[in-house]
Amino acid sequence: MRGARAQPNTGSKEGINSSKQQKKKKEITIDSFCTGNEQRANETDGEDPAKEKSEIPVNWIQALEELKMQFKTQLREAEDNWKKNLKTKISHLETENSVLKAKINQLENEAKEMKDETKQMKDEVKKMKDDLQRKSDQKEKDDQKTKDEIQSLRTRIQQLESSNLTRQQDTVKQNQKNEKIEENMKHLIHKTEDLENRSRRDNLRIIGLPEDHDKRKSLDIILQEIIKENCPKILEQEGKVEIDRIHRSPPVLNPQLTTPRNVIAKFKNYKTEEKILQAAKKKSFRYQGTTVRITQDLAASTLKKRKAWNK
């Protein structure tokens, strides 16, 4: 850029110097020309007038003077025109020089801006590269973390599967144990129920006997009267029926219940109990105008099964 700027300045200086030299040459030529004419005039004046008159006519001298004046005028006009043209060219060259300087400054500014933009772009590229590198490193860390978590989950799944398999096996074993325990429980319940029913084989249950009779007589006397009223043949054969114990069930009266409590009687003789039960199956027993039912005293579970069977 500096070389390009120096070239038009050198050309303009050389043009100005050449124009000054040409002007000086022209001025010397005009002066010399006028001086030569004056010298020649002086030489002419110094000569003999008679001789001049004899040699040069007057009209010629006037014509020569006029030509001289015209030539001087033309020379001055040419010199003025040349100066004007020279000034115009110098002004034009200076204008071009200033335009070139402005363009050079503009180019220098543009070059500076481009340099700044290049630097900024380099910084941005470096920043983007750093960001990409950081993101890549972070992604690798995340991938590694994910892989570790997946491996940990796989290990836990395997442990859970193994534990689940062990638990299933334990469950199967426990179910087998439970089934065996249930079978044993059923057997024990059946045995208990059978033992309870065997222990109740000497008992009879009297249903529907009003509670008011207990206030006037004991349950033992009431049972004797029921047997005497409904099956006197047993008393004729056996005499007095021997009873081990007799009571109401449940022992405590619930005032909210409207039906009388059952009476449970245990006989000392099993055969007597069977005879009374057979007689009760043949006909309904009554006591002082009230119908009472006499059934075998069984366990609650047995009664529940019989009820379901009857349904």
Side-chain angles (χ1 to χ4, degrees), residues 106-282:
Q106 184 179 0
L107 289 172
E108 288 178 351
N109 293 329
E110 289 179 356
K112 187 177 180 181
E113 290 177 357
M114 289 178 69
K115 188 176 180 181
D116 295 338
E117 289 178 358
T118 304
K119 185 178 179 182
Q120 186 178 1
M121 288 177 69
K122 285 182 179 179
D123 294 338
E124 290 179 356
V125 169
K126 185 178 179 182
K127 186 178 179 181
M128 290 175 67
K129 187 176 180 181
D130 294 338
D131 291 340
L132 288 173
Q133 186 66 32
R134 187 173 63 257
K135 288 180 180 178
S136 178
D137 295 339
Q138 185 65 32
K139 189 175 183 299
E140 288 180 358
K141 290 181 181 179
D142 294 340
D143 292 341
Q144 186 64 34
K145 186 178 179 181
T146 304
K147 287 180 181 179
D148 295 339
E149 290 178 354
I150 290 171
Q151 185 64 31
S152 176
L153 288 172
R154 286 177 179 173
T155 305
R156 290 181 65 187
I157 288 170
Q158 290 176 357
Q159 292 176 355
L160 288 172
E161 288 178 351
S162 177
S163 176
N164 189 24
L165 181 61
T166 305
R167 190 178 292 107
Q168 287 179 356
Q169 294 175 354
D170 294 340
T171 302
V172 171
K173 292 179 181 179
Q174 187 64 35
N175 288 335
Q176 292 175 354
K177 289 181 180 180
N178 292 337
E179 289 177 357
K180 192 171 182 180
I181 291 170
E182 287 179 359
E183 290 178 0
N184 292 333
M185 285 181 65
K186 288 180 180 179
H187 180 69
L188 290 174
I189 289 170
H190 178 71
K191 282 287 186 181
T192 304
E193 185 179 349
D194 183 64
L195 289 172
E196 186 177 359
N197 288 327
R198 286 180 183 276
S199 66
R200 293 169 180 259
R201 63 182 300 178
D202 296 336
N203 298 347
L204 284 179
R205 183 180 293 270
I206 303 170
I207 303 170
L209 182 66
E211 300 271 354
D212 298 338
H213 299 294
D214 300 358
K215 297 176 182 180
R216 295 189 295 270
K217 298 177 183 178
S218 65
L219 292 174
D220 188 5
I221 295 172
I222 292 171
L223 179 57
Q224 295 290 338
E225 291 177 354
I226 291 171
I227 295 171
K228 184 178 180 180
E229 183 177 351
N230 293 280
C231 48
K233 291 182 179 181
I234 295 174
L235 292 175
E236 291 176 359
Q237 295 174 359
E238 302 292 335
K240 185 179 179 181
V241 177
E242 294 183 358
I243 299 171
D244 189 5
R245 58 180 176 271
I246 185 169
H247 61 84
R248 293 272 184 179
S249 178
V252 180
L253 177 63
N254 187 0
Q256 295 180 356
L257 294 177
T258 56
T259 57
R261 292 174 293 170
N262 296 338
V263 176
I264 298 175
K266 183 177 182 181
F267 295 87
K268 290 182 178 182
N269 190 352
Y270 169 71
K271 292 182 179 180
T272 304
E273 180 264 340
E274 284 292 327
K275 290 179 182 179
I276 295 170
L277 184 61
Q278 292 296 327
K281 289 180 180 179
K282 292 179 181 178

Side-chain angles (χ1 to χ4, degrees), residues 72-82:
K72 284 182 177 182
T73 304
Q74 289 177 358
L75 283 175
R76 288 190 182 94
E77 290 179 356
E79 186 179 357
D80 293 337
N81 291 330
W82 181 83

